[in-house]
Amino acid sequence: MKLSNLLFNSLKESPKEAKIISHQLMLRSSMIRQHTSGIYTWLPLGFKVLKNIENIIRINQDEIGCNEMLMSTIQSSELWKKSGRYADYGKEMLRITDRHDNDLLYGPTNEEVITDLFSDYVNSYKGLPKYLYHIQWKFRDEIRPRFGVMRGREFLMKDAYSFDLTEEAAFETYKKFFRSYLKTFLDLGLQPIPVKAATGAIGGDLSHEFQILANTGESELAYDSKLVDSNLYEKSYEEITTMYSASDEMIDKSKSDVIIGRGIEVGHIFNFGTKYTKPLECFVLNQDGKRITPYMGSYGIGVSRLTAAIIEAFHDDKGIKWPINISPFKINIIMQPNPDYISDVESIYNLLITKYDNVSLDDRDLSIGRKIKDSELIGIPWTLIIGNNFKEKGQIELISRSNSDKIFLSKQEIENFEFEQYTP
Ligand code: 5CA
């Protein structure tokens, strides 16, 4: 993309309302714009990042046989009255009345809708297990929306739901999602810490949150240092949860291997048996033709929250430092305004866009210095400067956002450079 076409306005100063670094950088780099309290517009750069995160989550969900679908944002209240949650959910639920006086609501979560839908399509044990998910906007009328998209009122969630024939099978499914979540967060470049959690409004008696460490996180954590382990995914559910019940016992926070820190909850999984299938009269027939109430779980990832969480993990005083698979652009080409070597620039740009899907060309009428600052603020992994050195010596300057290392390459060397090999 040519940056002269981009809706983008970099801010030098942080707007006063932004208290944490991710919120400041998202505003300064034109990723989001507040529409009203806790509700945001995703501007082109922010939207690209959101899509990239979605995609990594999608690949991982598809890998465990989860079906992607799309349920509506607006729900009828009927099913919620049946499950008993219509009254329980309280003021966090945005309630709407339509012109025929029907009670509707903007979905804060989808257990009821999916259970009802499942009943219509699966009625035999042969159809089990079934895993379904969608990536859809939710609304929760949070009492204190804050920190930008970190705690919004409208936010994007990936929510998956599982149906199994027995309690044992449901637990196996829970473990499958648990491990898939570890992999998903590692793929996003994050170090997840699974923490046993309270189940709140979703229910059940087994639940884990996935936290990532950040000073600005809203959760207080006391955990065994062994839990921050990049090989976590190699271990089984049992090994990980044993490591961590040991950590639970070490409430003695003075012990040397207990770390006290703060975390951001980026995912939350629940195993709640028949909490919804029972009141909604969902059943399947088993081998003997007997009616069985299926066992359920639900599995959430805060997609929009992750954009901010990743920035909390990857930034410096110049701006964001995106992991390459999440960055809105992988390579940013910078040139002087109206250069006489424009045809060389165009040919390098055309070569790179055929090889990589996200390449930008900063063709705006601004100085090279200013363009470098914007590239750093946006957090693009690679910046290519085609300027005076190119004119005089045919050299292109390549700067890595991760460590500001500079190297000079010829046009030929650019063609062969491995841009995907990058760690922020
Ligand atoms: N139905 C279940 C799982 S599918 C559920 O709703 N779980 S949840 O309430 O824990 O939400 C899942 C994830 O959404 C959380 O872990 C968090 O990352 C994200 N999330 C929840 N509330 C907000 C919010 N107000 N703003 C941004 N993200 C949020």
Side-chain angles (χ1 to χ4, degrees):
M1 168 174 214
K2 295 195 172 162
L3 293 191
S4 57
N5 294 324
L6 182 70
L7 183 77
F8 170 76
N9 223 340
S10 63
L11 299 179
K12 249 178 127 178
E13 303 294 327
S14 296
K16 272 199 201 66
E17 75 267 23
K19 304 273 182 271
I20 62 172
I21 189 75
S22 57
H23 190 193
Q24 292 166 359
L25 290 172
M26 287 180 90
L27 293 173
R28 285 183 53 205
S29 64
S30 302
M31 285 181 64
I32 52 167
R33 178 172 186 267
Q34 181 172 307
H35 174 68
T36 184
S37 167
I39 301 180
Y40 290 84
T41 299
W42 290 78
L43 301 173
L45 280 183
F47 191 54
K48 278 179 191 290
V49 169
L50 198 62
K51 292 279 153 196
N52 291 342
I53 293 173
E54 259 187 28
N55 237 353
I56 293 168
I57 295 170
R58 179 172 288 122
I59 289 167
N60 278 285
Q61 290 291 287
D62 294 354
E63 224 165 72
I64 56 167
C66 212
N67 292 268
E68 184 170 16
M69 50 189 283
L70 186 60
M71 290 172 271
S72 58
T73 52
I74 306 287
Q75 304 179 11
S76 145
S77 62
E78 266 173 63
L79 298 168
W80 289 75
K81 286 174 182 161
K82 270 196 196 170
S83 74
R85 280 209 294 185
Y86 193 60
D88 292 352
Y89 224 94
K91 290 202 161 179
E92 264 197 21
M93 180 185 275
L94 181 65
R95 296 155 205 264
I96 308 162
T97 311
D98 72 11
R99 64 165 75 196
H100 304 295
D101 276 338
N102 295 313
D103 293 330
L104 302 176
L105 56 103
Y106 195 116
T109 176
N110 281 60
E111 281 80 5
E112 284 82 354
V113 175
I114 202 97
T115 305
D116 178 59
L117 176 149
F118 171 85
S119 296
D120 249 9
Y121 289 88
V122 181
N123 43 40
S124 153
Y125 71 95
K126 289 179 187 159
L128 292 177
K130 268 287 162 304
Y131 308 153
L132 309 167
Y133 79 100
H134 72 164
I135 299 174
Q136 179 62 293
W137 294 92
K138 305 287 184 289
F139 194 92
R140 294 182 186 171
D141 204 351
E142 298 272 352
I143 206 163
R144 271 212 305 160
R146 58 180 187 156
F147 300 155
V149 298
M150 196 71 95
R151 179 168 297 281
R153 293 199 296 167
E154 189 186 46
F155 60 97
L156 189 61
M157 195 199 286
K158 186 286 297 179
D159 39 328
Y161 303 86
S162 67
F163 296 84
D164 275 283
L165 192 63
T166 63
E167 208 170 347
E168 295 71 37
F171 185 45
E172 289 307 313
T173 293
Y174 182 84
K175 293 196 265 187
K176 200 181 275 182
F177 273 92
F178 181 97
R179 299 194 69 242
S180 166
Y181 268 37
L182 290 178
K183 180 164 169 287
T184 306
F185 295 122
L186 291 170
D187 285 354
L188 288 164
L190 300 170
Q191 255 314 313
I193 301 178
V195 179
K196 199 143 197 194
T199 56
I202 309 293
D205 48 24
L206 174 61
S207 162
H208 283 94
E209 285 173 2
F210 292 81
Q211 298 272 350
I212 63 149
L213 297 177
N215 294 333
T216 49
E218 292 187 286
S219 323
E220 193 177 288
L221 296 176
Y223 58 94
D224 188 331
S225 55
K226 289 195 281 294
L227 286 174
V228 189
D229 175 355
S230 54
N231 294 324
L232 215 49
Y233 183 65
E234 311 289 315
K235 299 189 167 69
S236 69
Y237 173 84
E238 283 76 11
E239 282 175 286
I240 298 166
T241 45
T242 309
M243 268 162 71
Y244 141 58
S245 52
S247 174
D248 276 353
E249 283 157 21
M250 289 193 290
I251 294 300
D252 179 3
K253 296 180 181 175
S254 59
K255 281 201 175 165
S256 62
D257 38 4
V258 175
I259 300 176
I260 314 282
R262 303 196 71 80
I264 301 169
E265 180 202 317
V266 288
H268 200 161
I269 62 176
F270 303 82
N271 179 10
F272 44 70
T274 57
K275 177 172 175 188
Y276 300 94
T277 42
K278 213 173 229 160
L280 295 173
E281 296 164 57
C282 167
F283 64 86
V284 295
L285 298 178
N286 73 2
Q287 274 125 314
D288 308 321
K290 205 179 133 210
R291 285 177 165 212
I292 303 286
T293 307
Y295 291 80
M296 283 181 72
S298 75
Y299 315 87
I301 293 182
V303 183
S304 47
R305 172 176 291 184
L306 269 168
T307 56
I310 294 168
I311 296 173
E312 292 291 329
F314 298 104
H315 67 268
D316 62 12
D317 52 2
K318 294 178 192 153
I320 304 167
K321 296 168 83 175
W322 290 116
I324 196 157
N325 55 353
I326 296 169
S327 185
F329 301 110
K330 289 181 176 163
I331 308 166
N332 184 29
I333 303 170
I334 288 180
M335 63 178 190
Q336 288 158 324
N338 308 311
D340 48 20
Y341 49 87
I342 186 75
S343 62
D344 289 307
V345 174
E346 297 266 350
S347 84
I348 293 168
Y349 174 60
N350 288 331
L351 176 100
L352 291 174
I353 48 176
T354 51
K355 227 167 141 187
Y356 304 96
D357 40 6
N358 300 314
V359 178
S360 52
L361 171 61
D362 197 344
D363 58 341
R364 297 174 302 163
D365 190 12
L366 294 170
S367 71
I368 287 198
R370 176 69 198 280
K371 290 180 183 183
I372 293 174
K373 282 214 155 58
D374 281 349
S375 201
E376 288 169 338
L377 174 67
I378 299 172
I380 305 170
W382 299 108
T383 300
L384 279 178
I385 303 171
I386 311 181
N388 282 337
N389 274 313
F390 181 75
K391 252 165 89 170
E392 289 155 19
K393 295 180 264 177
Q395 286 182 333
I396 299 159
E397 196 174 339
L398 174 65
I399 308 178
S400 159
R401 180 69 183 88
S402 72
N403 49 18
S404 302
D405 274 0
K406 279 183 202 173
I407 49 171
F408 289 95
L409 300 172
S410 66
K411 207 174 149 188
Q412 182 67 39
E413 285 166 323
I414 293 283
E415 285 181 27
N416 302 321
F417 193 82
E418 291 296 331
F419 286 99
E420 297 282 1
Q421 280 171 23
Y422 173 87
T423 26

